[in-house]
């Protein structure tokens, strides 16, 4: 497993916990706890913190993209895992030019397949795919 993939898994765990507690806990305290409790030693700390901060800084825009591209799913009804995988994927697609767009999509789909429900991968693929199509047109 690559360092970036492992880092994204840690980001998902951190965002999941933060979202689970209705964004009332400090996300960086959650991150520190996750690093300690799950023995993450080979994560890319610069990428990790930049991605979490990027998601937070663009959360309103990211949530609007989710709403726009998954209109039949109110954001509160999307599972916490899927919602946060989408947030990372959308951040990487739209706001982080260092990550190739297809890598962002593939990573999000893989994480959703591993940790999400039976239809998570397809759902993530559909939403991110429609955003990608909008970008390249």
């Amino acid at each position: 497993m690559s360092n970036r993939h492992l880092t994204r898994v840690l980001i998902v765990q951190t965002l999941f916990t933060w979202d689970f507690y209705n964004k009332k806990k400090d996300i960086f305290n959650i991150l520190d706890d996750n690093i300690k409790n799950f023995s993450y030693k080979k994560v890319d700390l610069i990428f990790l913190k930049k991605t979490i901060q990027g998601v937070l800084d663009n959360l309103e825009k990211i949530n609007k993209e989710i709403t726009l591209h998954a209109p039949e799913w109110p954001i509160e009804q999307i599972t916490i895992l899927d919602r946060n995988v989408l947030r990372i994927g959308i951040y990487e697609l739209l706001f982080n030019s260092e990550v190739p767009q297809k890598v962002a999509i593939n990573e999000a789909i893989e994480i959703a397949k591993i940790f999400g429900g039976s239809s998570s991968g397809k759902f993530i693929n559909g939403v991110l795919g429609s955003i990608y199509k909008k970008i390249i047109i």
Side-chain angles (χ1 to χ4, degrees):
M1 190 178 303
S2 76
N3 286 354
R4 286 260 172 118
H5 181 78
L6 187 61
T7 301
R8 285 183 182 93
V9 170
L10 177 57
I11 294 166
V12 168
Q13 289 174 320
T14 302
L15 287 171
F16 180 99
T17 304
W18 176 72
D19 201 1
F20 180 81
Y21 287 106
N22 295 313
K23 303 173 187 107
K24 292 181 181 172
K25 289 190 172 195
D26 181 74
I27 196 164
F28 291 101
N29 287 339
I30 295 168
L31 174 62
D32 291 340
D33 288 345
N34 284 343
I35 290 172
K36 289 177 199 167
N37 293 331
F38 296 108
S39 299
Y40 285 105
K41 294 178 181 144
K42 295 185 177 185
V43 295
D44 182 340
L45 289 174
I46 294 169
F47 177 74
L48 170 74
K49 291 181 179 181
K50 180 181 177 182
T51 301
I52 287 178
Q53 193 61 58
V55 169
L56 295 177
D57 291 346
N58 295 288
L59 189 60
E60 188 175 321
K61 293 174 188 171
I62 291 168
N63 286 345
K64 283 182 182 177
E65 289 294 324
I66 294 170
T67 301
L68 180 65
H69 295 280
E72 61 281 352
W73 286 96
I75 198 161
E76 310 82 36
Q77 290 182 6
I78 298 171
T79 67
I80 295 174
L81 182 97
D82 290 355
R83 184 168 54 231
N84 287 292
V85 170
L86 280 171
R87 286 174 174 156
I88 296 166
I90 293 168
Y91 165 73
E92 290 187 341
L93 271 175
L94 299 179
F95 303 103
N96 186 349
S97 60
E98 295 173 17
V99 177
Q101 293 170 330
K102 290 185 179 182
V103 170
I105 294 169
N106 288 335
E107 282 288 318
I109 293 167
E110 287 307 309
I111 291 171
K113 284 180 180 178
I114 294 168
F115 296 104
S118 60
S119 61
S120 292
K122 289 179 183 179
F123 177 67
I124 300 299
N125 185 37
V127 174
L128 295 181
S130 66
I131 293 170
Y132 178 72
K133 286 177 188 173
K134 180 180 80 172
I135 293 169
I136 61 170
I137 292 177

